[in-house]
C-alpha cells in the first residue's frame, strides 16, 4: 500500500495548484539580491540574502493578506536568528549539537500552533542548519543574519506591492469556487442520491479569506464580498432544507412537486453559475430572464398543487407547504446574491471599526499561543512527542555531520529536518519523495556543472530557473519541488564560489543518511494516527452537540436565539470534521491497521455526523420563518440528544463500548404525536429533521457497539449523565 501511494503521489501533478504569478513574483525576489551582489562583486552576500528571500517566498503561502505579511516578517526574523545562532556555534561541535537539539524541539513544538507557525519554525531551523557549516566571528555572523533578514523583507515588500494591482483576486476566486460548488449541489437536489448537506469546505475558505482583508481595500469593497458570503451561507442552508424536503416527498409518488423541485434546482444551478462567472471575470452578471421565469413557474406550480391537494393526499400538505417555503426562501436568496454581485462600490466607505492587524497582535493572541504550547509540552501530546523526536534526530544528524566531516555534511541534518513530520504517513511518503528528489536534483545540477563549467552569470540564471521550478511545483508535486530546491541550493552555492561538482558522492550519501535517520526515528518511535483518530472523532461529536443544542434552543425559546453563536458553532463543526477526515485519511498511509477505531467505523461515524449536520443546518435555515415551539417535548428531546452525544464522545475517548442512551426514538415519536395535535405547522417543520437527528445519533451508537472493551469509569460517568437528564426531564 505504501509503495502504491508513494508512486501515485510522485506521479500526480496538481495543475490547479500551480500559480505562475506567485512563482514569478517570488523568483524576482530571489533574483534582485543575486544581481545586486554580482554587480558589486560580493556574491556570498547575495547568497545569504537569496536564502532569506527563497524561504520567505514559500512562507508567503500562509494566510491571505495581513496574516501572510505577518508570517513573512516573522519568518524573516526567525531565519535571521537561526543564521546568527548557526554561524556562531558551527565551529564548536558540542555546543552546536546541543543547540540544534534545542532548536529542533522548539520548532517541533511550535507546529502545535498551526501551519503558519510551523512554516516559521521550519524555515528558522533550515537556516540554522545551513549556516552552521560556517565559522563566522560575531560581526560576520551579525552581517550574514542581517542579509538573510533583508532578503526576507524584500520578498515581503514585493508581496505587499502587488496587492493594489490584484483587484481582489483572492476574494473573487474563493467566492467563485463556493458558488460553483453550490451550483453542483443544486443540480443534485433531484433525484435524491445521498442525504447530506452541500460541501462546506469552499465556504470555509471564503470565511478565512474575508477574515484577513486586504489592507488597501475600502470598507465598501469588502462589504460586497461579505454580503455574497452571507448569501452563499443562506443558499447552502436552503439547499440542505430542500434535500430533506425531497426525501420526505418520496413518500407521495403521485405529487408533481418533485418535478417542480427539479426545475427549481436547474434554475438555481444556472443562476449560481452566472454569479460565479461574474465573480471570476469581475463583471456584472448577464440578464437571464428565461431562468428567472422558469424559477417563478416552478414556485407557482408548487403553490397551485398545494391549493388543489385531493382529500386522499392531505397528509402531504404540511410537507408540500414546507417545501414551498424553502423554495421561496431560496429564490429570495438567489435574487439577493444577484443584486450583491451587481452592487456598486461605496466610494466614501470608512475603514472597519477594528483593524484586523490589531487583532493579529492582541495580547490574548499571544496568551492563547502560550497556553497551547504549555498544553502540548509533554509526552502525552502528539506535538510534544514530535518535538522530542525532532530534537533527538537532529542531535544525531548534527553529530554525524561533525564526525564524518563530509564536504557537504550539513545535508545530513538539513534532510532530516525537512523530512520529519508530525505524522507517520507524511514522513514516509514525503520523506521518500524528498530523498529521491534530492538525489535526482543533486545529480542533475552536479552533472550540468561538470559538463558545461558555467560562469557566475550562468550559475545565476540556473539558480533562478531552479527556484522558479520549486515555486511552481511546491503545492503541485513534492518530488518535483524537491528536485528544484536541491538544484537551487547547488547552483546558489556555486554562484557564491563553492564548486558545485565536487564531492557529489558525499552530498548524496549525506542526503541518504539524513533521510534514513528521519525515517528510522519513526520506526523506533512511531507516531500512529490511529491513536488520535478517536479523539478527533469525539471532538466532532462535541461540536455537533453544541450546534444542535443552540439551534433547537432557538425553537423552544426564540428570545435566546443568538445567530452569531450559532454561526460560530457551525464553523467549529466544519473545522472539527475537516480535522477528523484528515486524521482518518492519514490512517490509510500507516502500515498498522487501527485497533481502537477501525477505518470503516470511523468513516461511518463521519457519515452519521454529516447527516446530523444536514438536519441541524436545515433547522437553522428555517429559523427566520419558524414560530416558537412551546411543547416541552422538544426541550426534553434536545436534552436527550445533548446527553447522548456527550456519552458517545466519552465512549470514543475511553475506547469503550457506549452505555445505554436515553430513549431517543420514543422521545422523538412522542414529540411527533404531541406536535401533530397541538401545532401541526410546527410538526411539519420539526418532525422530519428531529427524526434525522435521532437516526444519526443512533447510527453512531450502533457503530461504537462494534468496538471492543468497556471502561468502568465510562459507565459511572454515563450513569451520572443519565440521572441528570432524568432530573431535567421531570
Amino acid at each position: 500500500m505504501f509503495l502504491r501511494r508513494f508512486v501515485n503521489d510522485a506521479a500526480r501533478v496538481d495543475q490547479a495548484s500551480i500559480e505562475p504569478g506567485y512563482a514569478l513574483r517570488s523568483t524576482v525576489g530571489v533574483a534582485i539580491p543575486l544581481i545586486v551582489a554580482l554587480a558589486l562583486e560580493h556574491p556570498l552576500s547575495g547568497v545569504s540574502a537569496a536564502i532569506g528571500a527563497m524561504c520567505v517566498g514559500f512562507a508567503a503561502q500562509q494566510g491571505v493578506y495581513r496574516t501572510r505579511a505577518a508570517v513573512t516578517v516573522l519568518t524573516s526574523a526567525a531565519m535571521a536568528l537561526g543564521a546568527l545562532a548557526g554561524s556562531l556555534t558551527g565551529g564548536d561541535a558540542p555546543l552546536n549539537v546541543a543547540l540544534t537539539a534545542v532548536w529542533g524541539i522548539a520548532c517541533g513544538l511550535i507546529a502545535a500552533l498551526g501551519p503558519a507557525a510551523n512554516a516559521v519554525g521550519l524555515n528558522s531551523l533550515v537556516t540554522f542548519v545551513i549556516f552552521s557549516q560556517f565559522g563566522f566571528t560575531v560581526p560576520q555572523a551579525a552581517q550574514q543574519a542581517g542579509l538573510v533578514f533583508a532578503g526576507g523583507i524584500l520578498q515581503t515588500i514585493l508581496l505587499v506591492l502587488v496587492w493594489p494591482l490584484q483587484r481582489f483576486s483572492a476574494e473573487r476566486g474563493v467566492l467563485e469556487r463556493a458558488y460553483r460548488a453550490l451550483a453542483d449541489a443544486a443540480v443534485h437536489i433531484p433525484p435524491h442520491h445521498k442525504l447530506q448537506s452541500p460541501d462546506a469546505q469552499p465556504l470555509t475558505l471564503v470565511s478565512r479569506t474575508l477574515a484577513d482583508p486586504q489592507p488597501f481595500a475600502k470598507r465598501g469593497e469588502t462589504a460586497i464580498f461579505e454580503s455574497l458570503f452571507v448569501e452563499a451561507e443562506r443558499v447552502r442552508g436552503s439547499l440542505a432544507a430542500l434535500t430533506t424536503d425531497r426525501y420526505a416527498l418520496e413518500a407521495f409518488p403521485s405529487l408533481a412537486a418533485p418535478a417542480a423541485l427539479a426545475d427549481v434546482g436547474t434554475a438555481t444551478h444556472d443562476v449560481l453559475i452566472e454569479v460565479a462567472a461574474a465573480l471570476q471575470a469581475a463583471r456584472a452578471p448577464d440578464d437571464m430572464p428565461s431562468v428567472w421565469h422558469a424559477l417563478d413557474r416552478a414556485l407557482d406550480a408548487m403553490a397551485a398543487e398545494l391549493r388543489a391537494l385531493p382529500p386522499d393526499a392531505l397528509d402531504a400538505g404540511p410537507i408540500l407547504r414546507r417545501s414551498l417555503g424553502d423554495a421561496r426562501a431560496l429564490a429570495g436568496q438567489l435574487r439577493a446574491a444577484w443584486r450583491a454581485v451587481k452592487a456598486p462600490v461605496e466610494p466614501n466607505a470608512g475603514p472597519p471599526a477594528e483593524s484586523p492587524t490589531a487583532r493579529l497582535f492582541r495580547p490574548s493572541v499571544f496568551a492563547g499561543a502560550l497556553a497551547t504550547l504549555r498544553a502540548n509540552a509533554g509526552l502525552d501530546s502528539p506535538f510534544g512527542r514530535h518535538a522530542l523526536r525532532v530534537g533527538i534526530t537532529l542531535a544525531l544528524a548534527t553529530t554525524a555531520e561533525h564526525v564524518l566531516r563530509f564536504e557537504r555534511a550539513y545535508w545530513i541534518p538539513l534532510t532530516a529536518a525537512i523530512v520529519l513530520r508530525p505524522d507517520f504517513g507524511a514522513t514516509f511518503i514525503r520523506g521518500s519523495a524528498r530523498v529521491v528528489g534530492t538525489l535526482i536534483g543533486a545529480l542533475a545540477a552536479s552533472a550540468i556543472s561538470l559538463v558545461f563549467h558555467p560562469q557566475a552569470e550562468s550559475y545565476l540564471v540556473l539558480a533562478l530557473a531552479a527556484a522558479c521550478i520549486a515555486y511552481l511545483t511546491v503545492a503541485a508535486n513534492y518530488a518535483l519541488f524537491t528536485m528544484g530546491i536541491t538544484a537551487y541550493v547547488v547552483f546558489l552555492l556555486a554562484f557564491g564560489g563553492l564548486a558545485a561538482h565536487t564531492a557529489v558522492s558525499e552530498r548524496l550519501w549525506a542526503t541518504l543518511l539524513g533521510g534514513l535517520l528521519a525515517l528510522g526515528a519513526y520506526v523506533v518511535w512511531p507516531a500512529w494516527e490511529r491513536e488520535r483518530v478517536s479523539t478527533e472523532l469525539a471532538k466532532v461529536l462535541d461540536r455537533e452537540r453544541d450546534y444542535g443544542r443552540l439551534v433547537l434552543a432557538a425553537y423552544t425559546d426564540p428570545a435566546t436565539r443568538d445567530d452569531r453563536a450559532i454561526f460560530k458553532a457551525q464553523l467549529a463543526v466544519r473545522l472539527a470534521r475537516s480535522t477528523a477526515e484528515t486524521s482518518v485519511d492519514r490512517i490509510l498511509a500507516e502500515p498498522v491497521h487501527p485497533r481502537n477505531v477501525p477505518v470503516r467505523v470511523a468513516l461511518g461515524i463521519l457519515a452519521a455526523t454529516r447527516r446530523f449536520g444536514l438536519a441541524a443546518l436545515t433547522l437553522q435555515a428555517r429559523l427566520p420563518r419558524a414560530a416558537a415551539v412551546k411543547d416541552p417535548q422538544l426541550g426534553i428531546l434536545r436534552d436527550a440528544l445533548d446527553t447522548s452525544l456527550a456519552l458517545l464522545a466519552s465512549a470514543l475517548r475511553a475506547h469503550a463500548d457506549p452505555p445505554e442512551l436515553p430513549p431517543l426514538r420514543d422521545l422523538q415519536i412522542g414529540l411527533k404525536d404531541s406536535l401533530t395535535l397541538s401545532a401541526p405547522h410546527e410538526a411539519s417543520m420539526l418532525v422530519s429533521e428531529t427524526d434525522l437527528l435521532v437516526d444519526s445519533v443512533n447510527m453512531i451508537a450502533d457503530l461504537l457497539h462494534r468496538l471492543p472493551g468497556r471502561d468502568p469509569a465510562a459507565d459511572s460517568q454515563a450513569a451520572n449523565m443519565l440521572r441528570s437528564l432524568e432530573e431535567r426531564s421531570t
Side-chain angles (χ1 to χ4, degrees):
M1 177 181 293
F2 168 77
L3 182 60
R4 181 171 64 252
R5 183 161 182 169
F6 168 73
V7 172
N8 292 338
D9 189 69
R12 183 176 60 87
V13 177
D14 185 5
Q15 297 184 3
S17 299
I18 297 176
E19 301 180 48
Y22 153 75
L24 179 61
R25 188 261 306 159
S26 299
T27 304
V28 170
V30 175
I32 291 174
L34 293 177
I35 294 173
V36 172
L38 182 63
L40 297 176
E41 299 182 352
H42 289 287
L44 275 177
S45 298
V47 168
S48 298
I51 289 175
M54 186 73 182
C55 294
V56 168
F58 293 125
Q61 291 198 314
Q62 304 296 327
V64 185
Y65 289 115
R66 290 174 168 90
T67 303
R68 180 175 293 187
V71 169
T72 56
V73 172
L74 289 174
T75 301
S76 301
M79 290 179 64
L81 183 61
L84 180 65
S87 299
L88 293 176
T89 62
D92 188 332
L95 179 60
N96 186 243
V97 170
L99 192 56
T100 301
V102 172
W103 215 277
I105 291 173
C107 293
L109 189 59
I110 284 175
L113 300 179
N118 183 58
V120 174
L122 179 59
N123 283 303
S124 173
L125 180 59
V126 166
T127 311
F128 176 89
V129 170
I130 290 176
F131 279 85
S132 291
Q133 66 177 308
F134 306 111
F136 290 135
T137 63
V138 173
Q140 290 173 331
Q143 180 186 21
Q144 296 305 311
L147 289 169
V148 169
F149 182 74
I153 293 300
L154 171 64
Q155 194 71 275
T156 301
I157 292 172
L158 292 177
L159 167 70
V160 174
L161 286 177
V162 300
W163 287 346
L165 305 178
Q166 298 173 336
R167 293 303 298 166
F168 308 106
S169 59
E171 293 89 343
R172 292 183 181 278
V174 293
L175 278 166
E176 181 233 339
R177 289 190 289 274
Y179 272 89
R180 289 191 186 278
L182 291 172
D184 292 340
V187 147
H188 291 98
I189 292 175
H192 174 72
H193 293 300
K194 292 191 297 184
L195 196 57
Q196 65 179 34
S197 57
D199 185 15
Q201 184 61 27
L203 286 173
T204 301
L205 294 176
V206 175
S207 177
R208 292 174 182 172
T209 301
L210 297 184
D212 191 10
Q214 186 184 129
F216 301 107
K218 297 178 181 178
R219 181 57 181 164
E221 294 171 319
T222 58
I224 292 176
F225 300 121
E226 290 283 356
S227 176
L228 285 166
F229 171 55
V230 170
E231 294 306 330
E233 286 280 10
R234 295 175 64 202
V235 167
R236 179 174 177 265
S238 293
L239 290 176
L242 289 175
T243 299
T244 61
D245 292 338
R246 170 63 179 169
Y247 181 75
L249 287 171
E250 287 179 350
F252 305 96
S254 62
L255 293 180
L261 275 181
D263 294 337
V264 170
T266 301
T268 299
H269 169 271
D270 294 343
V271 172
L272 294 175
I273 286 294
E274 179 56 28
V275 170
L279 283 166
Q280 183 182 34
R283 61 170 174 80
D286 294 336
D287 292 330
M288 303 173 67
S290 61
V291 174
W292 294 110
H293 292 160
L295 180 60
D296 291 336
R297 284 197 303 270
L299 296 176
D300 292 342
M302 293 178 68
E305 184 170 39
L306 178 62
R307 290 191 298 269
L309 275 179
D312 59 346
L314 291 180
D315 290 344
I319 300 174
L320 186 54
R321 185 178 297 107
R322 183 184 71 206
S323 303
L324 178 59
D326 292 336
R328 283 173 171 169
L330 175 62
Q333 292 150 12
L334 292 175
R335 289 187 169 90
W338 190 269
R339 288 191 296 270
V341 83
K342 293 178 67 173
V345 174
E346 303 173 28
N348 298 317
E354 180 185 9
S355 167
T357 307
R359 290 200 297 268
L360 283 175
F361 298 101
R362 285 185 302 188
S364 59
V365 173
F366 294 102
L370 289 175
T372 300
L373 292 176
R374 283 197 300 267
N376 286 277
L379 295 182
D380 56 336
S381 164
F383 290 104
R385 294 193 295 271
H386 172 64
L388 186 58
R389 185 185 300 109
V390 172
I392 294 174
T393 305
L394 286 180
L396 294 174
T398 307
T399 301
E401 174 191 359
H402 288 287
V403 170
L404 296 177
R405 296 190 178 280
F406 288 168
E407 189 172 343
R408 300 290 184 267
Y410 71 93
W411 284 81
I412 302 175
L414 181 63
T415 303
I418 295 176
V419 167
L420 280 170
R421 289 291 185 274
D423 62 288
F424 181 93
T427 295
F428 270 75
I429 297 294
R430 286 208 160 193
S432 301
R434 169 76 190 178
V435 172
V436 172
T438 298
L439 294 175
I440 296 175
L443 281 172
S446 300
I448 291 173
S449 300
L450 184 62
V451 173
F452 296 102
H453 301 289
Q455 299 301 311
E457 295 81 359
S458 301
Y459 275 126
L460 171 61
V461 174
L462 290 169
L464 294 178
C468 188
I469 292 173
Y471 283 128
L472 284 171
T473 58
V474 60
N477 184 281
Y478 191 73
L480 291 176
F481 157 72
T482 304
M483 292 168 57
I485 196 66
T486 303
Y488 166 76
V489 172
V490 173
F491 292 137
L492 183 67
L493 294 179
F495 170 80
L498 301 177
H501 60 276
T502 60
V504 175
S505 61
E506 291 186 355
R507 182 187 293 120
L508 299 181
W509 279 113
T511 299
L512 281 173
L513 181 55
L516 290 175
L517 279 173
L519 299 180
Y522 268 86
V523 173
V524 174
W525 190 15
W528 302 120
E529 189 67 26
R530 59 190 172 92
E531 297 176 356
R532 298 181 58 234
V533 68
S534 57
T535 301
E536 298 302 334
L537 290 171
K539 290 178 182 178
V540 179
L541 299 189
D542 288 337
R543 301 291 82 78
E544 292 281 17
R545 173 191 174 198
D546 296 337
Y547 181 37
R549 183 178 63 249
L550 287 170
V551 171
L552 290 175
Y555 279 89
T556 57
D557 186 3
T560 65
R561 173 181 162 189
D562 186 343
D563 289 332
R564 182 179 295 275
I566 292 173
F567 181 64
K568 287 184 177 179
Q570 185 184 26
L571 293 181
V573 169
R574 293 180 191 172
L575 176 61
R577 186 181 295 123
S578 175
T579 303
E581 288 171 348
T582 301
S583 182
V584 173
D585 184 62
R586 287 174 176 173
I587 290 177
L588 301 177
E590 296 180 350
V592 180
H593 293 291
R595 295 187 301 272
N596 296 327
V597 182
V599 174
R600 288 187 178 181
V601 173
L603 292 174
I605 292 173
L606 286 174
T609 61
R610 282 192 288 268
R611 290 165 64 89
F612 187 97
L614 170 64
L617 179 62
T618 301
L619 289 171
Q620 178 189 352
R622 293 173 180 156
L623 272 174
R625 307 189 303 279
V629 179
K630 302 299 184 181
D631 197 314
Q633 287 294 121
L634 180 59
I636 295 173
L637 178 60
R638 178 198 64 207
D639 293 342
L641 287 167
D642 186 86
T643 299
S644 298
L645 286 172
L647 290 171
L648 294 174
S650 297
L652 266 171
R653 289 188 172 94
H655 308 301
D657 189 44
E660 181 180 357
L661 300 183
L664 295 177
R665 181 56 62 195
D666 292 342
L667 292 173
Q668 196 271 335
I669 292 174
L671 173 66
K672 175 183 177 182
D673 295 340
S674 178
L675 287 177
T676 301
L677 293 175
S678 62
H681 180 67
E682 283 77 6
S684 168
M685 295 283 286
L686 287 168
V687 169
S688 63
E689 313 321 324
T690 54
D691 174 74
L692 188 54
L693 292 173
V694 168
D695 181 63
S696 302
V697 174
N698 285 337
M699 180 188 297
I700 296 171
D702 181 65
L703 289 166
L704 292 183
H705 277 303
R706 305 177 190 180
L707 303 180
R710 177 183 285 274
D711 187 347
D715 287 345
S716 175
Q717 182 187 21
N720 293 333
M721 296 180 73
L722 288 173
R723 193 178 303 113
S724 175
L725 174 65
E726 291 172 358
E727 292 173 357
R728 292 199 303 270
S729 300
T730 56

